């Protein structure tokens, strides 16, 4: 069995055996929090970060569990034509020990939904371990955090990505950090939990008639997805709607700090030609909660077992 399978197996077993304690930070963006967030721009192209955006303006429904349709909206490189991106962090925050970051994310892009329109292969990003003052995006160097990314439209050979200080660019296919050997959304590991067939909301289609079609299998856009980054005993695990996508041993990394981040980036140097690109090629974030995690004794053993098995498998390769 591959080392990736051992690590994912241990993470998946360990997750139910923890309990959340105190809430360390929360943000629902219902009251404009702009003054409490830091925008870290690559400085290469146009960006937009709106911390009190009413996303019903593009026909997106309220996130599950939320009380309104306001959230964080991010978009980049709609006119500059430069490979670029940015990140945002809550000002002055730092988290340590065992904790988890939970948030709702909606990915939207210029239609037609499925193949995507002009300039739709962009990235939503998020992660932990930043100093909160560094622009984090695929082109940034050196990497100073644990970053996870996913394309808006499933239009890349690497739709699900991990960026850390362990590699200069990003972790490649087959790296043990991934639960699947492939980062391509076409892989069965992704198409099974995310079978596609999701259309743009009726309200969005009414506003933007070009938003026809449905998502391809392996895409996670056009639905509110609950993302969780759990840091347990130095291991950061990313899940989407309960599916483990990546597991990173942070003890081997050089981290910039203890803050969290969200970001958006373009994957290439061209900009969309669609007049609605800044409205539709966006990442929406809502209902952010950071809480302490208390591991159960059985959980500690499973994590240790999983990491030990993964190490043994690597030695056999």
């Amino acid at each position: 069995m591959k080392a990736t399978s051992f690590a994912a197996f241990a993470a998946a077993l360990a997750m139910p055996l923890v309990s959340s304690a105190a809430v360390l930070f929360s943000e629902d963006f219902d009251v404009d929090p702009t003054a409490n967030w830091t925008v870290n721009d690559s400085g290469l192209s146009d960006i937009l970060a709106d911390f009190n955006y009413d996303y019903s303006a593009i026909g997106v429904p309220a996130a599950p569990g939320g009380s309104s349709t306001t959230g964080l909206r991010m978009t980049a490189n709609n006119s500059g034509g430069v490979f670029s991106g940015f990140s945002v962090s809550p000002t002055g925050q730092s988290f340590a020990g065992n904790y988890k970051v939970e948030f709702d994310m909606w990915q939207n892009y210029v239609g037609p939904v499925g193949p995507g329109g002009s300039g739709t292969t962009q990235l939503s990003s998020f992660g932990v371990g930043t100093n909160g003052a560094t622009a984090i995006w695929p082109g940034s160097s050196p990497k100073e955090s644990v970053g996870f990314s996913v394309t808006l439209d499933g239009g890349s050979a690497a739709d699900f990505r991990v960026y850390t200080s362990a590699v200069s660019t990003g972790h490649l296919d087959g790296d043990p950090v991934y639960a699947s050997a492939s980062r391509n959304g076409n892989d069965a590991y992704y198409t099974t939990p995310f079978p596609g067939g999701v259309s743009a909301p009726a309200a969005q289609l009414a506003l933007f008639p070009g938003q026809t079609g449905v998502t391809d299998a392996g895409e996670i856009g056009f639905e509110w997805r609950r993302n969780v980054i759990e840091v347990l005993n130095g291991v950061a695990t990313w899940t989407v709607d309960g599916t483990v996508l990546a597991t990173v041993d942070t003890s081997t990394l050089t981290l910039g700090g203890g803050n969290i981040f969200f970001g958006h980036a373009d994957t290439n140097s061209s900009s969309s030609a669609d007049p609605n690109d800044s409205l539709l090629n966006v990442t929406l974030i809502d209902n952010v909660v950071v809480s302490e995690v208390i591991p159960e004794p059985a959980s500690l053993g499973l994590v240790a077992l999983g990491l030990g098995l993964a190490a043994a498998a690597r030695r056999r390769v």
Side-chain angles (χ1 to χ4, degrees), residues 155-172:
S156 170
D159 294 309
F160 297 90
R161 308 183 184 190
V162 175
Y163 295 95
T164 73
S165 63
V167 291
S168 59
T169 53
H171 291 264
L172 302 178

Side-chain angles (χ1 to χ4, degrees), residues 30 37 42 143 155 164 194 196 211 214 218 286:
D30 289 349
W37 286 75
S42 64
K143 303 292 189 295
T164 73
F194 313 122
Q211 296 299 95
V214 297
D286 206 349

Side-chain angles (χ1 to χ4, degrees), residues 36-148:
N36 302 321
W37 286 75
T38 299
V39 178
N40 297 301
D41 184 7
S42 64
L44 299 175
S45 185
D46 55 295
I47 69 165
L48 184 149
D50 186 340
F51 295 93
N52 189 228
Y53 177 66
D54 184 355
Y55 46 76
S56 67
I58 59 169
V60 174
S67 59
S68 74
T69 55
T70 54
L72 166 62
R73 168 191 169 207
M74 298 180 290
T75 186
N77 194 32
N78 292 302
S79 61
V82 177
F83 175 44
S84 58
F86 71 102
S87 60
V88 303
S89 293
T91 304
Q93 296 293 325
S94 183
F95 309 102
N98 296 321
Y99 65 94
K100 64 179 176 180
V101 186
E102 302 176 272
F103 57 96
D104 294 315
M105 181 177 71
W106 178 287
Q107 294 183 290
N108 212 99
Y109 58 84
V110 168
V113 178
S118 175
T120 57
T121 306
Q122 301 183 9
L123 289 170
S124 305
S125 300
F126 32 86
V128 298
T130 179
N131 59 23
T134 298
I136 302 169
W137 60 291
S140 61
S141 182
K143 303 292 189 295
E144 54 87 70
S145 58
V146 177
F148 306 102

Side-chain angles (χ1 to χ4, degrees), residues 12-24:
L13 284 178
M15 287 176 59
L17 300 175
V18 298
S19 58
S20 296
V23 172
L24 306 174

